[in-house]
Amino acid sequence: RRPPAAALESRWREVDAWVEAARVAAGMYGNRLGLMGHYYGGMLDIYSDTTLQCATFGTHIELLEVDELAALRREVTGAAIRARLAEFHAVFDIQPDCPAEDLAEAARTSVALDRLVADHRLGSMAYYYKGTGVPENEATIASIILGTSLLTGRGVPIAGEYEVKNVQAMKIMDLFGVGGSFTEYYAMDFTNDVVLMGHDGPGHIAIAEGKTKVRPLTVYHGKVGRGVSVEMAVKHGPVTLLSVIETCAGKLALLCAEAESVPGPILEIGNTNSRYRFSCGAREFVKRWNSHGPAHHCAVGGGHVADRLDKLGALLGLETVRVV
């Protein structure tokens, strides 16, 4: 006897999930990760064994210099800047108080970033650089966020704060086709039982709720300079959080949780930010999640994909922990 149609459909969904997980594992194996700059001083929870990352995922790491990006900026033509400014206005909701000179500098850096990514065949990148002492490097880093957001939105996730573990999580989520935006805890709203999470720097504009805003900043988080930054919320609906963690046994593991991105007020400070509701409640989620020792960053993607992350972990020989 043939099994019922519903049972057949369920089995094929399971097969599809395994095939997709295998495709993501292959994508990670063939990925070239660029690292530019250095770690954020004292932020010990994000430091990672990059050899372990390569051994686990098969990732190739390309070490980059900020000076190379600064040099590429010198070669950007006025025509390329004007074309990129037109793209900015098409893609982003640019606020009227953004200085024209800051947008032009962001366009110059964005074009140079595309060249850097193409030259090194990068599939992802993590960076951090204070920009102190060399004005050209300062201008480069202070104008990087719009370009990194464009790249993140089109499949080359870029993480600030040199967050190697998190850019790996972002790349996994992007390969699954659900985004993968850089995020961390901002606040907890006990009245509405939600956790506010987001981050400064690049946002995954492909999973934004509406058009991503561009706002001017006079002070940057952890960097010298001023410029323009992006502000967005992740699209309302189901989401999955993913963190690549290092265990006490010296291995990597996947930590994930499913939630809902819900509407409500967010901080309008030129950062990404969203309100997330968890089935176990905000207080219990934070306690359970942190009991596994993750860094304070994670990647968020649209949709519930914890079952596919389980399969990816099985293919890579990694423990996958789901917080529920």
Side-chain angles (χ1 to χ4, degrees), residues 55-74:
T56 301
F57 292 109
T59 306
H60 168 78
I61 291 180
E62 191 76 10
L63 298 176
L64 309 171
E65 300 291 346
V66 176
D67 310 68
E68 182 180 0
L69 181 58
L72 288 171
R73 290 179 83 246
R74 296 184 214 127

Side-chain angles (χ1 to χ4, degrees), residues 36-52:
M36 185 175 71
H38 54 78
Y39 274 116
Y40 198 120
M43 200 174 281
L44 304 182
D45 63 317
I46 70 170
Y47 294 1
S48 182
D49 179 345
T50 51
T51 301
L52 180 60

Side-chain angles (χ1 to χ4, degrees), residues 62 106 111-112 114 190 203 303:
E62 191 76 10
V111 174
D114 285 0
F190 292 113

Side-chain angles (χ1 to χ4, degrees), residues 254-258 292 305-308 310 320-324:
L254 303 178
L255 177 65
C256 64
E258 294 180 339
H292 299 283
V305 295
D307 62 325
R308 284 176 270 175
D310 284 337
T320 303
V321 180
R322 192 190 306 197
V323 173
V324 294

Side-chain angles (χ1 to χ4, degrees), residues 194-212:
V194 296
V195 182
L196 276 73
M197 302 179 74
H199 209 273
D200 68 306
H204 201 305
I205 59 177
I207 60 169
E209 179 68 31
K211 221 171 184 182
T212 298

Side-chain angles (χ1 to χ4, degrees), residues 92-162:
F92 298 111
D93 178 11
I94 297 178
Q95 301 303 288
D97 55 345
C98 290
E101 60 270 25
D102 289 351
L103 290 169
E105 285 296 291
R108 180 185 297 277
T109 301
S110 178
V111 174
L113 264 172
D114 285 0
R115 170 80 180 277
L116 183 76
V117 165
D119 285 351
H120 293 281
R121 296 182 289 117
L122 303 180
S124 58
M125 189 173 104
Y127 76 95
Y128 176 74
Y129 190 78
K130 289 181 182 178
T132 305
V134 181
E136 193 173 16
N137 287 347
E138 174 185 325
T140 298
I141 295 302
S143 57
I144 203 169
I145 293 176
L146 268 61
T148 52
S149 295
L150 284 181
L151 283 165
T152 299
R154 61 175 189 255
V156 183
I158 300 184
E161 296 180 4
Y162 208 78

Side-chain angles (χ1 to χ4, degrees), residues 26-40:
M28 292 298 290
Y29 186 83
N31 186 47
R32 293 171 60 87
L33 165 61
L35 299 182
M36 185 175 71
H38 54 78
Y39 274 116
Y40 198 120

